[in-house]
Structures are given as structure tokens and as C-alpha cells.
Amino acid sequence: MNRTSDPELNLADRLRIERAVWTLDSHLDNLPLRSKRAKRRETRANLHAAAADVGTAEAIRGLGDLRSLAAGYLAAEYGEHGPRPSYTMGAVWLIMVHVIAGLLAVAGKAAFTAGVRAAEPRATGDFHWPGVRYVINEATITLRDGATGATAGGSWTPLVYLLSVIAFVVGGQLWRLLPQWRRRYPRAAPQE
């Protein structure tokens, strides 16, 4: 059904339908993208058809609770155990934290070295870089006639490793393991 040429629905009705469709969509975040798209199209088409028959307000009311509808779609998609965590996405997020921290370290050291060379093109000696607060520890950069020699220090702080763990848990949605863990290891009934 082409909703833009539907003469029976005015702009306000179309906006109400879109709001309902996108509210439902917001509760379907765990579905694969194709499935989410299909559910949006199907819901939109059904609402347009129902709105032409019984009115927009009644058509939207006929959907019932959108959270319950979304829960039904999720149960149909994943079965009784629900969505699973994604270790791959957790690893991607963890790697992104490491890449950002690494780029910050490289860029900081390069900028500091460029500043020393700008002040003295043929600098020789050990120069202290203070690092990046909370992310990268201080480092000593050795220059010989303006050429970079050895670099000592500049390691990541514990905060970077903590952020890596948090990124892995959040990116992989590891809290989804809790229901499986609870089913496998049920609590003992309280003794009276």
C-alpha cells in the first residue's frame, strides 16, 4: 500500500501511525535489521488498512500494548531462550577502545616530539612527555640531532583496561547470559 497517496488519511493520522510504528520499532532493537524492517512495513501497512476501515485511533488501539507486541515478535524470532549475547560485537567494542587509546598515545607523542623539534630542530637529549591524564602514563622521548631515538614509558593506565572490559560487556550485551545462568544454577529454596 502506498501510504503517501492514501487520500483517506490526513497528515495527523499518518503521523500517529508513524509514531506507533517507530515506538514498536524502538522495542525491537534485538531483532536482526531485516526482520525489524519487515515488522515495520507489515505494521505500517496493517495500520493504514485498518485506519481506512475503523479510523486511525481505533487501529492503533487495536495493536494493544506495543511492548507486549514487541515481546511476542522477539519470542517468535528467538524462541524461549531469547536473544543471545554477541561475543563478536563485544570484541569489536573492546578493540575500538584499544585503537582509540593507541591513536591517542601515538598522536600525543608525535605532537610532543614535533613541538620539541619546532623549538630546537637539532635537539639532543631526553625530553619528558607528561602523557594524557587518566589514559596514558608519562614517557621519556630521546632525541639525537633532532631524530627520534628511544621512547620509554607511555603505557596505558588501568582506566583503559577497565573501559575495555566495560566495552566488551556492553558491546556484547553479556547481561543476556544471566537468565541462562539462573536456569542452569537455580537458587536453593529458603529453609524454614
Side-chain angles (χ1 to χ4, degrees):
M1 168 180 270
N2 187 355
R3 67 183 182 278
T4 57
S5 64
D6 194 351
E8 298 157 7
L9 296 177
N10 60 28
L11 179 63
D13 288 341
R14 279 188 255 147
L15 289 174
R16 282 189 208 116
I17 288 173
E18 284 305 309
R19 180 176 175 265
V21 168
W22 287 100
T23 301
L24 175 65
D25 183 71
S26 70
H27 297 299
L28 296 175
D29 281 340
N30 296 325
L31 283 181
L33 188 60
R34 286 184 184 182
S35 183
K36 272 180 70 168
R37 218 177 277 147
K39 302 295 185 262
R40 277 196 315 259
R41 285 188 192 124
E42 176 186 358
T43 303
R44 187 177 291 119
N46 289 342
L47 282 173
H48 278 272
D53 291 340
V54 296
T56 304
E58 186 60 36
I60 292 172
R61 217 178 354 263
L63 286 176
D65 180 37
L66 295 177
R67 283 182 191 253
S68 300
L69 181 60
Y73 281 138
L74 289 168
E77 184 83 23
Y78 293 114
E80 70 179 66
H81 296 295
R84 307 285 193 274
S86 172
Y87 299 110
T88 305
M89 284 307 296
V92 167
W93 280 48
L94 180 136
I95 290 169
M96 288 307 298
V97 168
H98 285 238
V99 166
I100 290 168
L103 288 174
L104 195 59
V106 169
K109 289 176 189 174
F112 178 78
T113 305
V116 170
R117 286 187 187 135
E120 178 59 45
R122 301 196 45 84
T124 298
D126 293 337
F127 297 91
H128 177 74
W129 176 56
V132 178
R133 179 181 256 169
Y134 306 119
V135 181
I136 301 163
N137 292 321
E138 58 189 34
T140 302
I141 299 170
T142 304
L143 297 176
R144 300 283 179 249
D145 289 329
T148 304
T151 301
S155 62
W156 293 338
T157 63
L159 179 64
V160 173
Y161 297 105
L162 177 65
L163 289 175
S164 298
V165 170
I166 290 170
F168 183 74
V169 170
V170 170
Q173 300 177 351
L174 297 186
W175 56 85
R176 291 178 176 173
L177 290 173
L178 290 176
Q180 296 169 8
W181 187 76
R182 287 182 187 137
R183 278 192 300 275
R184 186 174 294 153
Y185 304 105
R187 287 186 187 176
Q191 300 292 326
E192 291 187 28

